Every structure is written in C-alpha cells, then in structure tokens.
Amino acid sequence: MDNVLFGLDTFGDVAYNDETNKRLTYEESLRMIVEEGKLADKLGIDVLALGEHHRKEYSISSPDTVLAALAMVTDNIILGTGVTVLSSDDPVRLYERFATIDALSNGRVQVMLGRGSFTESFPLFGYDLKDYEELFEEKIAMFSELIKNEPITWEGKFTQSLTNQQVYPQMSKKLDVQVGVGGSPESIVRAAKYGFPVMLAIIGGRPIRFKPYMDLYKRAAAEFGQVAHPIGIHSHGVIADTDEEAVEIAWNYIKKSMDTIGRERGWGAMSREHFEQEIKDGSYYVGSPETVAQKIANVIMEMGIKRFDLVYGAGGQLQKDRFKTIELYGEKVIPRIRELLKEGGYND
C-alpha cells in the first residue's frame, strides 16, 4: 500500500569494474554511488540511506557529504543515513551538517542515529571504547534538544557546555531523525524515550524473531508518553533476472562480506547450507523480481512494518549488477509488492 515506504541502503562497498573485474578506486566508487542514487530517484524509490564506515572495503566515511551531492541531482527521494555513528561525532556539528543538507534538498534529509556495528571511528576521532554506552546516551540526549530549533543550554561529561546558544542554520521544521537498532532492548527503549522512530537491522535469521522488539518499543513509548512510530527493517538482498543468477551473485559477494566480518569477530565461514537457509526462510532477499517481491510482502504483512529497505551491493559486486538490483527493485519488485499487499488486505 502507499503508506509503506521502500528504500535502498548501501554501506558504500567498493564495487568492481564490469570489464576488468578489478576493484574501483575510492573516487570512482563515490561517483558511482551518486549515479546509483540518481537512478533510485528516477525510479521513484522512496529512500536512499548511506552507511558510515571507516574501513578499507567501504568508500563512504562521510555520508553527509555524499548526500549533499545527491541533494543537487535528485528531486524526490528521501536522503538518509544508515547509520550515522553519533557516539564518535559532535552533535552540534552533526546537526549543522544535516540542517544544511535539508535546506539544499528542499526538506528531504533524514539522519539515522546509531552506535555503529564497527568501532574504527572511536580511536580515529579520539574516543575511548570504554565509554561506548555513555557516549551514545549523552549525545542522543543532546541531539534531541538540538532538533527543537531553540536556543540550547547544555552541560555534559563528553560534550561541550552551551548557554542559551542558537545553532545555525536554524531550521523551519524539525529534523527527520530515526534510530538504527541491531537487536538491543536497551536501544529500543532509548529510542522510545526520545520519541524517535526505529529501523531494525536484520542481517540474519527469521525476521519474525524481532517482533518482541517491536512490541517492546510500543510499550516503552506508551510509558514515556511518546508516539509509537511505525517501525521499519533493513536486510541484504540481490535481485537479478533469474533466481539462479541472483543466488550466484549473492553467494560470491555477500558470503565474502560476511566471512570478512566473521574472521574479525570469531564466527565461522558461512556454509552453503546456511546461505541457502537465509534465502529460503531467513533475512536474505535474493532472486528474481517475483521471488523477492513475494518474500518482502510476506515479511511486511507478518511483522506489520511500514518501511522496508533493501541493503544492496554487499561485498562490492560488479557495478552492472548493482545497477540491475536497483533497476529491478524500482521497476518490478516494489510495484509487485504493492499489488500483493493490496491483495492481502494490508491497509492498517
């Protein structure tokens, strides 16, 4: 239905050249991400969210800069992050940057706050990982005050002291803020406390296992006297003309990405059996347009979500295959999902 949003997320995985199969340079990668955003906008996709990473396999360390570029070459798509690592950023500077992009994009910017699934930004910007929890708690509290667009008086342990300070550019509306959550009940409750909508990052297993977090969010919002906003999810996917082609791409690249992370975190390498189970019943949306549309529609109706973001380009992938996923998602998958949701009576 029209009240469900469909987005694309990328972590800025550096793609591979279609002809040489060599990794693009970081400069080429960033320019191609702008082209991907232009294509998504042309196809009528609702949201594009860019992740923040400070690692060699990703090109986007400054998503707001890329979003500023996209603001000038797109017309309708919501330009967001997925996520901005608030813990290692300055809330005031962050607010100023996104207020600026919101003006440039004519009100289309969205910032998704998170603690981040990687920790490279902490030592890079001079923060201590022992303060991981406290940093986020204090900075999200400060950010919730900044978005009121009023003079702020603030004193914190990790943040600057301000006395009746107006921050500029002053916005005429409230900044669109979301919170990205990977599965922590504390994060769910914190988002509800400040009245922020939640996006659940579901990168493995059956999505329905996150339903208790959605219920927790509603209960916590009620206890804090806040609005329980519609919840969304994001998960990895590859779309191609056939199931077989999509599965081959996903096996070659998503596996590579997950195995890289796994080696750092002590996980075993992904088996083919695990991979295929994720496609069948888990959180990989891999296949032809009809296959992917059916699975996304079923998850939306089962979980009662109002936004679904497909994480594309995991592991890099050939540039042509990234464009193909975006093209099929916008032209075939989203319209088909809307048909299926209408047929299923999903209109609450």
Side-chain angles (χ1 to χ4, degrees):
M1 300 297 288
D2 290 339
N3 60 346
V4 179
L5 295 177
F6 294 96
L8 283 167
D9 296 2
T10 178
F11 298 154
D13 307 68
V14 180
Y16 291 84
N17 183 281
D18 297 338
E19 296 178 358
T20 66
N21 203 28
K22 291 183 178 180
R23 201 165 176 260
L24 300 182
T25 65
Y26 291 106
E27 295 93 336
E28 290 170 331
S29 173
L30 288 165
R31 291 193 291 269
M32 292 313 298
I33 288 166
V34 172
E35 294 303 315
E36 291 166 359
K38 288 165 62 177
L39 175 61
D41 182 56
K42 180 180 177 182
L43 294 170
I45 294 169
D46 295 311
V47 187
L48 177 68
L50 308 181
E52 175 193 342
H53 294 89
H54 305 268
R55 297 166 55 91
K56 66 179 181 180
E57 62 264 43
Y58 306 116
S59 61
I60 303 177
S61 59
S62 177
D64 41 287
T65 305
V66 183
L67 294 177
L70 281 163
M72 307 311 294
V73 294
T74 58
D75 297 312
N76 299 303
I77 197 166
I78 296 169
L79 301 170
T81 57
V83 299
T84 290
V85 185
L86 176 62
S87 308
S88 57
D89 211 329
D90 180 313
V92 175
R93 292 292 291 151
L94 183 66
Y95 174 86
E96 289 180 337
R97 297 197 305 268
F98 279 88
T100 300
I101 303 168
D102 197 67
L104 293 172
S105 65
N106 195 24
R108 290 185 287 125
V109 81
Q110 180 182 91
V111 57
M112 190 181 299
L113 306 175
R115 295 182 295 176
S117 59
F118 296 101
T119 58
E120 287 81 2
S121 64
F122 288 82
L124 185 63
F125 299 123
Y127 294 97
D128 194 325
L129 274 172
K130 70 179 178 61
D131 301 320
Y132 185 80
E133 295 289 346
E134 283 186 279
L135 280 165
F136 190 74
E137 180 59 59
E138 181 174 320
K139 291 185 178 186
I140 196 172
M142 186 182 194
F143 203 75
S144 70
E145 292 298 314
L146 288 164
I147 64 173
K148 293 178 180 178
N149 297 317
E150 299 170 354
I152 178 174
T153 296
W154 182 266
E155 184 175 352
K157 178 180 178 182
F158 300 102
T159 52
Q160 59 271 57
S161 296
L162 301 172
T163 302
N164 200 35
Q165 177 68 56
Q166 180 64 57
V167 179
Y168 301 100
Q170 191 171 3
M171 297 181 67
S172 58
K173 67 178 183 65
K174 203 168 186 178
L175 185 64
D176 184 356
V177 179
Q178 311 262 319
V179 173
V181 176
S184 162
E186 294 80 10
S187 296
I188 290 285
V189 172
R190 185 187 295 113
K193 174 182 176 181
Y194 293 107
F196 293 141
V198 165
M199 280 288 290
L200 295 169
I202 306 179
I203 62 171
R206 295 188 64 219
I208 195 64
R209 67 192 175 92
F210 278 77
K211 192 67 163 62
Y213 292 100
M214 299 173 66
D215 297 335
L216 173 62
Y217 175 74
K218 292 177 183 177
R219 294 197 306 272
E223 290 180 14
F224 287 118
Q226 298 282 10
V227 174
H229 298 280
I231 287 178
I233 67 173
H234 92 166
S235 296
H236 289 286
V238 174
I239 310 168
D241 290 322
T242 66
D243 288 346
E244 295 76 15
E245 184 183 357
V247 168
E248 181 181 2
I249 295 168
W251 173 247
N252 289 335
Y253 290 96
I254 293 181
K255 172 181 165 57
K256 179 181 73 173
S257 178
M258 293 301 178
D259 286 354
T260 297
I261 298 169
R263 284 192 294 271
E264 298 176 4
R265 301 183 181 181
W267 309 338
M270 180 181 288
S271 68
R272 184 76 185 205
E273 180 182 12
H274 178 199
F275 169 75
E276 291 179 353
Q277 187 63 34
E278 286 291 348
I279 293 175
K280 181 182 178 183
D281 295 315
S283 296
Y284 291 172
Y285 298 81
V286 175
S288 66
E290 182 64 22
T291 296
V292 173
Q294 290 280 352
K295 185 172 182 179
I296 294 175
N298 288 338
V299 168
I300 289 172
M301 289 187 283
E302 182 180 39
M303 296 187 67
I305 59 173
K306 294 297 185 181
R307 173 173 166 183
F308 180 91
D309 282 13
L310 186 78
V311 183
Y312 74 96
Q317 304 180 23
L318 293 177
Q319 187 61 56
K320 66 181 179 65
D321 293 333
R322 293 162 64 107
F323 279 132
K324 190 71 169 180
T325 287
I326 295 169
E327 178 185 329
L328 293 176
Y329 185 60
E331 290 185 347
K332 296 186 177 182
V333 173
I334 294 174
R336 179 61 176 143
I337 295 170
R338 294 197 187 281
E339 289 178 359
L340 293 167
L341 294 180
K342 186 176 181 179
E343 291 170 8
Y346 188 74
N347 56 8
D348 52 12

